[in-house]
Amino acid sequence: MASSRREDHEEPAPPEWAGAATALERRERMLRRRGRFRYGTFASFQYRDFRFLWLGQISQAMALWMEQIARPLLVLSDLVNGDARDLGLVFAVRTIPQLIAGLFAGVIADWYDRRLVLLTAKTGSAVTNFALAFLILSGDIELWHIYVQAFAKGMFNAMDQPARQSLIPSIVPQRHLTNAIALNSASMNTMRIAGASVAGLMVAFVGFGMTFLAAAIIFLGAVYFTYRLNVPPHVRQGRRNVSNAIASFREGIAYGWSTPSIRWVILLAMVYFSFGMSYMQVFAPLFAKEVLEIGERGFGFMMSLTGAGGVIGALTLASLNPRTHRGLAILGVMATFGTMLIIFSLSTFTGIVALSFALVLFIGMFQTPFNSLTNSVLLDSAPVDMRGRVMALISMDRSVITIGATLAGFTAHALGVQFAQLIFAGVVLGGVFVMLTLVPAFRRIQ
């Protein structure tokens, strides 16, 4: 009987994850016997380890969004007397590790136990928050401390992303992969709203030190839930040295370029992150301050609406859980996102702030599903021992946001915010048009 059961499950599972595949199938059989197996919006929550991964993501996202609100305010505060240039440089310093270490973080995720990599990254992030909180509370904080902390956080985040994403297929079966990724995205967007609100209130009422201390304590939740994960260890056999790491790095790039579904998704994502995501980094605050004239509170409300739209979009995708025609879905989502950016920019000429706010909600709805769909295609297209490096490729794509944001700033300065946003949204639509008409392989991505 035991031998027969092993034979039933060995063929579809990669050798190093055969135990994980068998455990997932046993879990599904048990749920069916109890009448609790389900599809639908929250289907992935029926798997214990996904619940822990998701709870860890909730904790991490809450702490990260608190930081993203508190850090720029700290830079501009009387405590360190930074200016606008320091704001841009701190953002750049946090992004540099993804440019330098992005793909090598994928190598680490493919070489070592991914759970251990996640534990290391999350523990390191928590420690940097505790250190910054201690410096602030002790009164010894200086501007260079913020630079160092931002760089360290960037390094740990670069390690975290490929390992976390590549772990998902070993926790949920393939049929629920898009659902699981979408639920993760929903958690990030929910915490965008909650984290921004909590950080703003804490900075105002208890100060920067307590805010970063709270973020560090919340990050410990991510460490705890990651520790509770029960997945088979994944360790690459053979020598692990610099020359092999470089070879593995090259292997990841070669595999990604030689696999059409990965190559075209990565190239389209570069357009999306460079020209679409500039809305978040540059255009949104400029619209709030210079065009809509709604100030900092209005900008905070805009970001909350974007996050709310992201939650709606992610949960809708989780409910649909597409397992075929994902290439067409990616093109449709990105085309609608670009169209919403154009309509939003045009709406600001009317002076009707409520209309612009409503459109911001729709921007968020079509922003989040793009990330979830691309991640699910990449994970499906990569073998188990290549997933870390493939997900590092998309992490590298996200690092080009800095380049796009710089170009957006110069364009907005030269042409005005509204016309600059129209141009960037037009490039987003142009990328979709090129893939739709000139790359038939993209439409066939399942």
Side-chain angles (χ1 to χ4, degrees):
M1 180 72 69
S3 174
S4 174
R5 186 178 295 115
R6 282 195 300 270
E7 290 173 2
D8 287 342
H9 299 306
E10 279 174 359
E11 185 176 348
E16 60 265 55
W17 290 97
T22 304
L24 285 173
E25 291 167 359
R26 284 200 302 267
R27 171 67 174 165
E28 289 188 9
R29 288 198 299 270
M30 181 270 290
L31 289 168
R32 285 194 177 95
R33 285 198 303 270
R34 296 181 180 179
R36 291 163 54 188
F37 183 80
R38 64 181 185 273
Y39 291 92
T41 304
F42 303 104
S44 296
F45 284 142
Q46 62 199 315
Y47 302 98
R48 169 193 178 275
D49 288 308
F50 178 76
R51 293 196 298 272
F52 282 127
L53 187 72
W54 185 83
L55 288 169
Q57 174 69 1
I58 281 281
S59 302
Q60 179 172 335
M62 180 70 176
L64 287 176
W65 278 110
M66 288 177 66
E67 283 182 65
Q68 290 196 38
I69 297 300
R71 186 184 290 112
L73 295 175
L74 176 61
V75 170
L76 297 175
S77 71
D78 293 336
L79 292 175
V80 296
N81 294 314
D83 56 26
R85 291 170 299 178
D86 292 307
L87 276 182
L89 288 172
V90 167
F91 179 77
V93 163
R94 192 173 181 274
T95 307
I96 285 172
Q98 289 198 320
L99 290 169
I100 297 175
L103 273 178
F104 284 104
V107 172
I108 292 172
D110 286 338
W111 276 15
Y112 296 95
D113 180 5
R114 288 164 183 158
R115 174 178 168 274
L116 181 59
V117 173
L118 284 178
L119 276 173
T120 302
K122 295 179 193 302
T123 302
S125 288
V127 169
T128 65
N129 278 9
F130 277 116
L132 192 62
F134 173 79
L135 288 168
I136 297 170
L137 291 171
S138 66
D140 295 327
I141 185 68
E142 296 181 18
L143 184 59
W144 69 269
H145 294 144
I146 302 174
Y147 279 101
V148 172
Q149 194 261 359
F151 183 84
K153 290 289 291 198
M155 288 292 292
F156 289 125
N157 284 341
M159 289 176 58
D160 181 277
Q161 291 178 12
R164 173 166 42 85
Q165 294 288 353
S166 57
L167 198 59
I168 294 175
S170 66
I171 292 175
V172 301
Q174 191 277 338
R175 69 177 69 88
H176 293 317
L177 182 59
T178 302
N179 174 270
I181 294 172
L183 289 174
N184 260 344
S185 296
S187 70
M188 193 70 180
N189 282 280
T190 302
M191 291 303 103
R192 178 191 301 181
I193 302 169
S197 302
V198 169
L201 290 172
M202 290 195 68
V203 167
F205 290 103
V206 299
F208 290 104
M210 294 304 295
T211 302
F212 278 96
L213 180 62
I217 294 170
I218 292 170
F219 230 116
L220 291 179
V223 176
Y224 170 75
F225 290 119
T226 303
Y227 176 78
R228 292 292 306 276
L229 288 174
N230 181 23
V231 293
H234 173 76
V235 180
R236 179 183 183 272
Q237 301 301 315
R239 298 181 62 185
R240 295 188 288 268
N241 51 40
V242 174
S243 61
N244 284 344
I246 294 173
S248 186
F249 172 91
R250 292 173 176 169
E251 183 185 16
I253 295 177
Y255 181 83
W257 186 255
S258 64
T259 306
S261 57
I262 296 176
R263 178 174 69 246
W264 297 124
V265 165
I266 292 292
L267 289 175
L268 185 64
M270 287 190 69
V271 177
Y272 172 83
F273 289 124
S274 297
F275 295 92
M277 290 303 291
S278 296
Y279 159 77
M280 292 288 293
Q281 303 297 331
V282 175
F283 292 122
L286 288 175
F287 272 113
K289 182 178 179 180
E290 298 180 5
V291 180
L292 299 175
E293 297 181 345
I294 54 178
E296 294 178 355
R297 290 185 179 179
F299 172 61
F301 184 59
M302 279 180 62
M303 290 298 96
S304 295
L305 284 175
T306 305
V311 173
I312 295 170
L315 292 178
T316 301
L317 182 64
S319 300
L320 297 173
N321 190 30
R323 284 176 277 164
T324 59
H325 306 298
R326 281 176 292 184
L328 287 173
I330 290 171
L331 293 173
V333 165
M334 184 166 165
T336 309
F337 173 68
T339 303
M340 288 296 105
L341 288 176
I342 289 175
I343 297 174
F344 166 75
S345 188
L346 293 174
S347 76
T348 62
F349 287 103
T350 69
I352 305 175
V353 176
L355 175 60
S356 299
F357 277 168
L359 290 166
V360 164
L361 184 72
F362 284 99
I363 289 172
M365 285 176 61
F366 290 96
Q367 178 182 333
T368 302
F370 180 88
N371 294 327
S372 300
L373 286 166
T374 53
N375 285 349
S376 67
V377 168
L378 294 177
L379 287 169
D380 261 353
S381 301
V384 175
D385 60 353
M386 192 69 69
R387 284 175 183 154
R389 281 164 286 177
V390 167
M391 296 314 296
L393 287 171
I394 199 71
S395 297
M396 290 285 287
D397 260 15
R398 288 172 181 147
S399 67
V400 304
I401 292 175
T402 304
I403 300 171
T406 303
L407 181 60
F410 281 104
T411 308
H413 178 75
L415 302 177
V417 182
Q418 291 144 305
F419 288 108
Q421 178 65 93
L422 288 171
I423 292 171
F424 272 56
V427 176
V428 170
L429 291 178
V432 174
F433 178 78
V434 168
M435 287 294 175
L436 189 62
T437 58
L438 302 182
V439 187
F442 203 103
R443 301 197 300 270
R444 294 194 295 269
I445 292 174
Q446 297 298 317

Short mmCIF file of all heavy atoms in Angstrom, two decimals, residues 3-12 25 29:
data_model
loop_
_atom_site.label_atom_id
_atom_site.label_comp_id
_atom_site.label_asym_id
_atom_site.label_seq_id
_atom_site.Cartn_x
_atom_site.Cartn_y
_atom_site.Cartn_z
N SER A 3 3.99 1.48 -0.88
CA SER A 3 4.74 1.54 -2.14
C SER A 3 3.87 2.08 -3.25
O SER A 3 4.30 2.89 -4.06
CB SER A 3 5.28 0.15 -2.48
OG SER A 3 5.89 0.16 -3.75
N SER A 4 2.61 1.64 -3.30
CA SER A 4 1.70 2.11 -4.33
C SER A 4 1.45 3.61 -4.20
O SER A 4 1.40 4.34 -5.18
CB SER A 4 0.37 1.35 -4.23
OG SER A 4 -0.57 1.89 -5.12
N ARG A 5 1.34 4.09 -2.95
CA ARG A 5 1.09 5.51 -2.76
C ARG A 5 2.27 6.33 -3.24
O ARG A 5 2.11 7.38 -3.83
CB ARG A 5 0.83 5.78 -1.28
CG ARG A 5 0.41 7.22 -1.00
CD ARG A 5 0.10 7.46 0.46
NE ARG A 5 -1.06 6.69 0.90
CZ ARG A 5 -1.01 5.73 1.79
NH1 ARG A 5 0.13 5.39 2.34
NH2 ARG A 5 -2.11 5.07 2.13
N ARG A 6 3.50 5.87 -3.00
CA ARG A 6 4.67 6.59 -3.46
C ARG A 6 4.70 6.64 -4.97
O ARG A 6 5.02 7.66 -5.58
CB ARG A 6 5.95 5.95 -2.91
CG ARG A 6 6.25 6.30 -1.47
CD ARG A 6 7.68 5.93 -1.12
NE ARG A 6 7.94 4.50 -1.30
CZ ARG A 6 7.78 3.61 -0.34
NH1 ARG A 6 7.33 3.97 0.84
NH2 ARG A 6 8.04 2.33 -0.56
N GLU A 7 4.36 5.51 -5.63
CA GLU A 7 4.38 5.48 -7.08
C GLU A 7 3.36 6.46 -7.67
O GLU A 7 3.59 7.06 -8.71
CB GLU A 7 4.07 4.06 -7.58
CG GLU A 7 5.19 3.08 -7.29
CD GLU A 7 4.79 1.65 -7.64
OE1 GLU A 7 3.66 1.46 -8.15
OE2 GLU A 7 5.60 0.76 -7.42
N ASP A 8 2.23 6.66 -6.98
CA ASP A 8 1.22 7.58 -7.47
C ASP A 8 1.74 9.01 -7.51
O ASP A 8 1.31 9.82 -8.33
CB ASP A 8 -0.02 7.53 -6.57
CG ASP A 8 -0.79 6.24 -6.78
OD1 ASP A 8 -0.58 5.57 -7.81
OD2 ASP A 8 -1.59 5.91 -5.89
N HIS A 9 2.68 9.34 -6.61
CA HIS A 9 3.04 10.74 -6.46
C HIS A 9 4.44 11.07 -6.95
O HIS A 9 4.79 12.23 -7.03
CB HIS A 9 2.93 11.14 -4.98
CG HIS A 9 1.55 10.99 -4.44
ND1 HIS A 9 0.47 11.57 -5.05
CD2 HIS A 9 1.07 10.30 -3.37
CE1 HIS A 9 -0.62 11.28 -4.37
NE2 HIS A 9 -0.29 10.50 -3.36
N GLU A 10 5.26 10.10 -7.25
CA GLU A 10 6.63 10.40 -7.61
C GLU A 10 6.74 11.10 -8.95
O GLU A 10 7.50 12.04 -9.12
CB GLU A 10 7.48 9.13 -7.62
CG GLU A 10 7.95 8.73 -6.21
CD GLU A 10 8.66 7.40 -6.23
OE1 GLU A 10 8.76 6.81 -7.31
OE2 GLU A 10 9.12 6.97 -5.18
N GLU A 11 5.92 10.70 -9.92
CA GLU A 11 6.12 11.19 -11.28
C GLU A 11 5.90 12.69 -11.43
O GLU A 11 6.72 13.38 -11.99
CB GLU A 11 5.23 10.43 -12.25
CG GLU A 11 5.49 10.81 -13.69
CD GLU A 11 4.66 9.97 -14.64
OE1 GLU A 11 4.08 8.96 -14.19
OE2 GLU A 11 4.61 10.33 -15.82
N PRO A 12 4.79 13.27 -10.89
CA PRO A 12 4.57 14.68 -11.15
C PRO A 12 5.42 15.62 -10.32
O PRO A 12 5.43 16.80 -10.57
CB PRO A 12 3.09 14.87 -10.79
CG PRO A 12 2.80 13.81 -9.80
CD PRO A 12 3.66 12.65 -10.19
N GLU A 25 -0.73 16.68 -1.32
CA GLU A 25 -1.79 15.80 -1.79
C GLU A 25 -2.48 15.09 -0.63
O GLU A 25 -3.70 14.91 -0.64
CB GLU A 25 -1.22 14.80 -2.79
CG GLU A 25 -0.81 15.47 -4.10
CD GLU A 25 0.03 14.58 -4.98
OE1 GLU A 25 0.32 13.44 -4.58
OE2 GLU A 25 0.42 15.03 -6.06
N ARG A 29 -6.51 15.32 0.27
CA ARG A 29 -7.37 14.16 0.50
C ARG A 29 -8.06 14.24 1.86
O ARG A 29 -9.24 13.93 2.00
CB ARG A 29 -6.56 12.86 0.40
CG ARG A 29 -6.14 12.51 -1.02
CD ARG A 29 -5.77 11.04 -1.12
NE ARG A 29 -4.65 10.72 -0.25
CZ ARG A 29 -3.37 10.79 -0.62
NH1 ARG A 29 -3.07 11.19 -1.85
NH2 ARG A 29 -2.41 10.48 0.21
#
